[in-house]
Amino acid sequence: MARCLELAAQAEGRTAPNPLVGSVIVDAGGIIVAEGYHKKAGMLHAEAEALEIAGDRARGATLYVNLEPCSHHGRTPPCAEAIVKAGIKKVVAAIADPNPKVAGSGFDLLREHGIEVVLGPMQEEALWLNRGFLKVQTTKLPWLTLKMAATLDGRIADRQGRSKWITGEGARHMVQELRNRYDCVLVGAGTVKADNPRLNVRELASCDCRDPKKVIIDPHLSLDPSYHVLKSDDENKTIVYHRPGAEPGDQYADCDLVPADIDEDGRIDSRKLLQDLTSRGINTVLCEGGGKLAANLLLKDLVDEIYWFTAPKLLPDAGAVLSTNSAEELAMADILNYELLESKRTGEDVLIHLRRKDYKRDAGSMP
């Protein structure tokens, strides 16, 4: 099962709206005869790839997979049916699939054909790996990770909005790795104006890099043609959420413009925006700021995971930009609690990696 998870993780950021799945086939003598993983939506599923490689050696063998085999027809045939036809004797799966099109029916089909099903090994690790897919299936919201780079006193830019560079090369390299693993990167128009980011993946040794989708919250369509994020292609258009009625200039011609819902506070409704992203096949979102957007997402309980980079620097200016910037009055009783996963040095900076304590609430049924 550990090998299944290792294989599945190779496709992070590439399979949405599908899950990350790896599969290993072991013959009666305990020898691995085939393995596979789902590389991209529309391509062979992990079990199908492993079965194709195994051929006749699959008969009487045990198939390991980190998620319940599918039982419905989509862009590819049902894996549960392929497992039956291949003569697999036993299937070991880490977790069930909460997708209503599956939801136990894959296991039922296997059992109906006399195949032994074992459920549960390494379920915690499997749950964490597919946290984005599982959350979408159970809540219609994507898994949202907040990335922040701040000084020791919580500043992310000076009062003119300049933020280059608070953190060092080690932290910036890790951000590139994060982008490579997420389906999209989300920022506000203020961040675009301050930094003119490209939001792409670069400077990684891996030759399998690809750029995530770029998502911008630009209420008044106020960006000028010089900004890098407005330049996109037909395959990976920048998605721009704006207020209804905002008039786009020619600079937005290559973007996918989406009139957004407005919440009770008169702002673009971030929850409905995220729900719209799931309808576009997004499982995981990496939010890279700024302070107002971060505070909004945190206060609406939409942040599942945090990568917080702290530089050994201070900017003692009351006018500097805060990392979480909200006008809402909060008491200590309102404090937001997260679980510490790790803290480590990244070059000259410190990374604090957190997740929501109750993240399993969105995992669906567990064995």
Side-chain angles (χ1 to χ4, degrees):
M1 189 60 69
R3 178 58 178 160
C4 289
L5 294 167
E6 183 180 21
L7 288 165
Q10 293 181 41
E12 277 191 292
R14 291 149 176 80
T15 64
N18 294 348
L20 296 160
V21 185
S23 183
V24 175
I25 297 175
V26 179
D27 68 15
I31 304 299
I32 293 178
V33 297
E35 57 185 31
Y37 69 99
H38 184 43
K39 296 177 176 61
K40 187 179 180 181
M43 296 182 68
L44 281 178
H45 287 190
E47 305 96 312
E49 183 175 76
L51 289 169
E52 188 175 275
I53 294 169
D56 292 339
R57 295 175 295 174
R59 193 158 299 279
T62 297
L63 183 144
Y64 292 82
V65 64
N66 58 290
L67 186 70
E68 176 183 3
C70 64
S71 54
H72 63 287
H73 285 269
R75 282 192 271 184
T76 58
C79 289
E81 289 183 7
I83 291 169
V84 171
K85 290 177 182 178
I88 291 289
K89 182 180 179 181
K90 179 179 178 181
V91 170
V92 181
I95 57 175
D97 187 344
N99 183 346
K101 295 179 180 179
V102 185
S105 61
F107 293 143
D108 290 342
L109 190 150
L110 296 175
R111 292 187 181 106
E112 287 168 8
H113 288 84
I115 296 174
E116 180 186 356
V117 174
V118 176
L119 179 61
M122 299 192 73
Q123 64 180 19
E124 292 288 334
E125 294 86 349
L127 174 66
W128 181 246
L129 177 69
N130 264 312
R131 56 198 182 276
F133 170 78
L134 295 171
K135 187 178 181 188
V136 168
Q137 293 303 317
T138 56
T139 71
K140 305 304 179 187
L141 285 167
W143 182 272
L144 191 143
T145 295
L146 174 65
K147 186 279 296 183
M148 191 64 68
T151 62
L152 279 170
D153 47 356
R155 268 55 177 180
I156 60 173
D158 65 20
R159 62 172 61 205
Q160 278 76 40
R162 294 172 297 208
S163 62
K164 293 182 179 179
W165 293 102
I166 288 176
T167 52
E169 291 184 8
R172 297 199 295 272
H173 180 80
M174 186 171 288
V175 171
Q176 298 301 312
E177 293 177 337
L178 285 173
R179 289 179 184 173
N180 194 36
R181 289 164 35 206
Y182 277 75
D183 298 332
C184 76
V185 176
L186 169 67
V187 298
T191 296
V192 175
K193 292 174 182 177
D195 298 338
N196 194 13
R198 296 181 184 273
L199 303 182
N200 60 357
V201 177
R202 55 194 183 273
E203 300 172 3
L204 291 184
S206 169
C207 61
D208 189 30
C209 297
R210 100 291 172 251
D211 292 336
K213 285 187 177 294
K214 294 173 285 189
V215 181
I216 314 300
I217 300 177
D218 183 10
H220 304 292
L221 296 176
S222 58
L223 301 179
D224 66 52
S226 67
Y227 294 113
H228 300 305
V229 293
L230 298 181
K231 301 172 180 64
S232 53
D233 53 53
D234 292 336
E235 186 177 341
N236 206 16
K237 282 191 171 185
T238 297
I239 303 171
V240 180
Y241 289 94
H242 62 88
R243 284 181 169 276
E247 292 293 333
D250 293 341
Q251 66 268 35
Y252 292 92
D254 293 333
C255 300
D256 185 359
L257 297 176
V258 184
D261 290 291
I262 305 302
D263 64 18
E264 64 277 5
D265 298 320
R267 302 182 59 176
I268 285 181
D269 192 318
S270 49
R271 182 176 293 273
K272 289 185 178 179
L273 182 155
L274 293 174
Q275 289 172 340
D276 184 73
L277 284 177
T278 65
S279 72
R280 297 167 183 269
I282 298 294
N283 286 343
T284 57
V285 176
L286 178 64
C287 177
E288 296 197 27
K292 290 182 180 179
L293 176 57
N296 177 268
L297 294 170
L298 286 163
L299 291 173
K300 290 183 178 294
D301 192 26
L302 295 170
V303 177
D304 301 291
E305 189 175 357
I306 300 173
Y307 283 85
W308 195 286
F309 297 92
T310 301
K313 301 172 183 177
L314 293 162
L315 188 58
D317 178 356
V321 182
L322 288 169
S323 52
T324 55
N325 190 356
S326 170
E328 186 169 338
E329 183 177 346
L330 299 174
M332 284 302 294
D334 303 313
I335 203 163
L336 306 176
N337 284 294
Y338 282 79
E339 176 187 2
L340 178 64
L341 292 178
E342 64 174 339
S343 60
K344 65 180 183 180
R345 186 166 180 166
T346 57
E348 60 198 66
D349 308 305
V350 173
L351 165 66
I352 299 175
H353 183 196
L354 309 160
R355 72 180 172 194
R356 202 179 59 205
K357 287 186 174 182
D358 60 346
Y359 79 97
K360 289 183 185 177
R361 73 184 183 188
D362 301 325
S365 58
M366 290 290 291

